[in-house]
Amino acid sequence: MLRQLLLSLVLLLGLGLAGHAQVGTGFEEPAGGSIDYVDAVLTTHILSNNAAPQPPVNHTYSGGELGFQTTFVATRTGITATNGLWDSGLGDAVGVHTNAVLVASTDATSWSSGQAYLIEDPDGMILLEFDEVSLSGTSSPQFSMDVWIDNTSYEVSDGANDRVYIALEINGGVTTVVLLDTDGGGAGGGNNGDIDDISGIEQVITPLSANLTPYIGSTVQLVIEVDFNSGSEKVFFDNITFTQGTSGVNLPVTWAGFKAERIDRTVQLDWATSKEVNNQGFYVERMLAHESGFTRLAWINGVGNTEQAQTYSFVDPFPFDGASFYRIRQVDFDGAETISQIQEVQSLSSSEIPTVLIYPTQVEEVLHLQMGDLSPDQHTMKLEIFDQSGRKVLTQSSAVSAFQVIDVPEVSTFTAGIYLVQTTFSDGRILHHRIIK
């Protein structure tokens, strides 16, 4: 899963509610928009809040309402007449809208008042991620929300399945509670089949709910994915409620900031915490523009317990072609997790693209080698790995292609230590990298 440059974004999760109060959002805190949202970028990127009266698509926790972040994911690239959130420069109805827009745009006759988050004709996928909520110390936490889906034909179109997916991710996705999954593939699609096969869900306000009691002590995050490409296909969400929980309080860390930026041919990541409770450490994770999930690059130890501000940094020495997305996954000693918001870093120029990207530099199970935009005379590679004494512990040769990923699971059997990874290409170029096992 998929974001514009946010090099100085500051996370304010530390402004959460005290105690075990109800937490959620009715989308009343950000001022709703009255016109369509316009964005002409057709690649995967984080959306930015445009000037009013365009609707907000991101919100930082305030006024007792959960924050959220919106990402456009390019699932229909190259399909004729798919213009993303542009549509002849007029945009699409995506983001938090006023009551007047909701009623006029959706014909939601059962809708009465207030604002909601509306998604219409994104020509790709809209990924909507909300702040994590801590269920620590709760007794009987429950979740509920409302969803309205237009009455139309959500099927397969332009090579992709029309889809509405709503889920609660427990402890960073270790467990997932799926509330709705309709992938537009017909009666066998998703966990409920196509939207047209679900009785009574279209053109009405439909409540969704979940009992979160089995997950007391965990963190939970609401994630919504919407993917379709027609102006007659619309959906909106409202009245998101966790009956018990806290946003950013009693979590293992209180985030104070996170940024990622290009410095020459590397990417510098800096993050900070203002408080840590039982914090074991952080995974640095990255996703490239053409990938569908994050990969762990490194592990950074945390302080554990402290009331003092802490700063951390990591340098990715091998940024790659296309946009790169970075996030920090924090893990405490009891397994609870928090995840930073995502930062995007602009791509390297073609002349800067490395021949091969090797990650993670601190490897546990599998080492990954990702090829660059190889020249025709670089399509054979010999891989050799040496231990600290210079002894060769692995050698293999293979044909490779541009942007191919080669997995090396054999490193899981290596003893702890520092290793030299040598790659020799058929044009004679030899590259060296160091990894830690």
Side-chain angles (χ1 to χ4, degrees):
M1 305 109 202
L2 356 201
R3 302 171 172 181
Q4 278 183 340
L5 189 64
L6 300 174
L7 296 179
S8 59
L9 178 65
V10 176
L11 305 180
L12 297 177
L13 297 180
L15 300 177
L17 299 174
H20 304 114
Q22 175 175 300
V23 63
T25 181
F27 298 101
E28 302 304 311
E29 175 65 20
S34 58
I35 63 175
D36 285 346
Y37 178 87
V38 179
D39 182 272
V41 180
L42 297 181
T43 56
T44 298
H45 63 291
I46 300 172
L47 299 181
S48 299
N49 285 341
N50 294 335
Q54 290 192 38
V57 292
N58 300 313
H59 179 59
T60 300
Y61 180 93
S62 66
E65 297 201 26
L66 284 177
F68 52 86
Q69 176 176 273
T70 303
T71 300
F72 174 83
V73 183
T75 59
R76 300 171 187 257
T77 302
I79 303 299
T80 302
T82 57
N83 302 306
L85 306 176
W86 177 249
D87 287 3
S88 300
L90 300 177
D92 291 291
V94 171
V96 177
H97 285 271
T98 64
N99 174 252
V101 172
L102 290 167
V103 173
S105 175
T106 66
D107 299 322
T109 55
S110 60
W111 186 253
S112 56
S113 62
Q115 302 184 149
Y117 195 104
L118 172 65
I119 300 175
E120 170 195 49
D121 190 22
D123 289 345
M125 186 176 81
I126 293 297
L127 172 63
L128 184 58
E129 299 171 292
F130 292 82
D131 288 346
E132 287 187 317
V133 173
S134 171
L135 302 182
S136 296
T138 60
S139 58
S140 181
Q142 306 292 314
F143 172 81
S144 63
M145 66 175 291
D146 292 332
V147 57
W148 180 95
I149 300 175
D150 206 358
N151 182 20
T152 186
S153 177
Y154 296 82
E155 301 289 348
V156 179
S157 60
D158 290 336
N161 287 352
D162 299 329
R163 184 171 186 245
V164 178
Y165 172 85
I166 305 173
L168 298 169
E169 295 188 351
I170 312 299
N171 290 335
V174 174
T175 301
T176 301
V177 178
V178 179
L179 304 175
L180 180 65
D181 185 0
T182 68
D183 71 358
N191 66 338
N192 287 316
D194 175 53
I195 292 176
D196 296 333
D197 301 318
I198 305 173
S199 176
I201 197 173
E202 294 177 292
Q203 207 73 34
V204 296
I205 302 291
T206 301
L208 302 176
S209 62
N211 176 17
L212 299 180
T213 302
Y215 310 109
I216 289 174
S218 301
T219 60
V220 57
Q221 181 183 32
L222 174 63
V223 176
I224 297 174
E225 298 175 5
V226 174
D227 192 342
F228 43 65
N229 67 335
S230 171
S232 64
E233 296 168 337
K234 308 182 186 75
V235 58
F236 70 70
F237 313 97
D238 197 28
N239 301 323
I240 294 166
T241 302
F242 295 86
T243 59
Q244 296 179 11
T246 54
S247 176
V249 174
N250 298 325
L251 294 177
V253 303
T254 300
W255 295 94
F258 170 46
K259 68 177 182 179
E261 59 182 335
R262 279 282 311 280
I263 299 179
D264 296 326
R265 292 187 59 184
T266 68
V267 174
Q268 173 80 35
L269 282 73
D270 297 289
W271 66 99
T273 63
S274 58
K275 177 181 178 181
E276 297 184 15
V277 179
N278 203 29
N279 175 33
Q280 184 177 8
F282 307 88
Y283 283 112
V284 179
E285 299 182 333
R286 184 193 61 202
M287 178 176 66
L288 305 181
H290 60 277
E291 296 178 328
S292 59
F294 281 86
T295 299
R296 291 174 179 174
L297 298 181
W299 169 263
I300 306 296
N301 288 328
V303 172
N305 296 281
T306 180
E307 298 284 339
Q308 303 298 316
Q310 303 294 318
T311 59
Y312 300 88
S313 64
F314 173 79
V315 175
D316 181 0
F318 307 115
F320 216 59
D321 183 31
S324 297
F325 306 98
Y326 295 87
R327 71 182 184 186
I328 307 298
R329 179 186 294 271
Q330 179 277 329
V331 183
D332 79 348
F333 287 102
D334 298 325
E337 299 180 343
T338 61
I339 301 176
S340 72
Q341 289 193 343
I342 296 168
Q343 301 281 295
E344 177 182 351
V345 177
Q346 300 284 21
S347 64
L348 294 168
S349 67
S350 58
S351 63
E352 296 177 300
I353 300 171
T355 301
V356 60
L357 168 72
I358 294 181
Y359 62 92
T361 54
Q362 184 169 335
V363 63
E364 297 177 355
E365 300 293 335
V366 180
L367 181 68
H368 306 284
L369 284 74
Q370 183 153 10
M371 303 302 108
D373 190 6
L374 303 178
S375 63
D377 56 355
Q378 288 182 315
H379 284 188
T380 300
M381 182 192 72
K382 181 180 180 181
L383 168 66
E384 297 171 291
I385 301 181
F386 303 85
D387 65 15
Q388 297 178 77
S389 66
R391 182 175 62 94
K392 187 185 298 184
V393 294
L394 178 70
T395 181
Q396 64 184 48
S397 298
S398 59
V400 292
S401 57
F403 307 116
Q404 176 186 358
V405 177
I406 296 176
D407 295 333
V408 187
E410 291 86 352
V411 297
S412 63
T413 63
F414 291 3
T415 58
I418 299 174
Y419 292 83
L420 174 69
V421 179
Q422 177 175 297
T423 53
T424 304
F425 288 84
S426 49
D427 65 348
R429 185 176 186 185
I430 300 176
L431 301 174
H432 295 98
H433 306 271
R434 292 188 182 276
I435 61 172
I436 299 174
K437 174 66 170 64

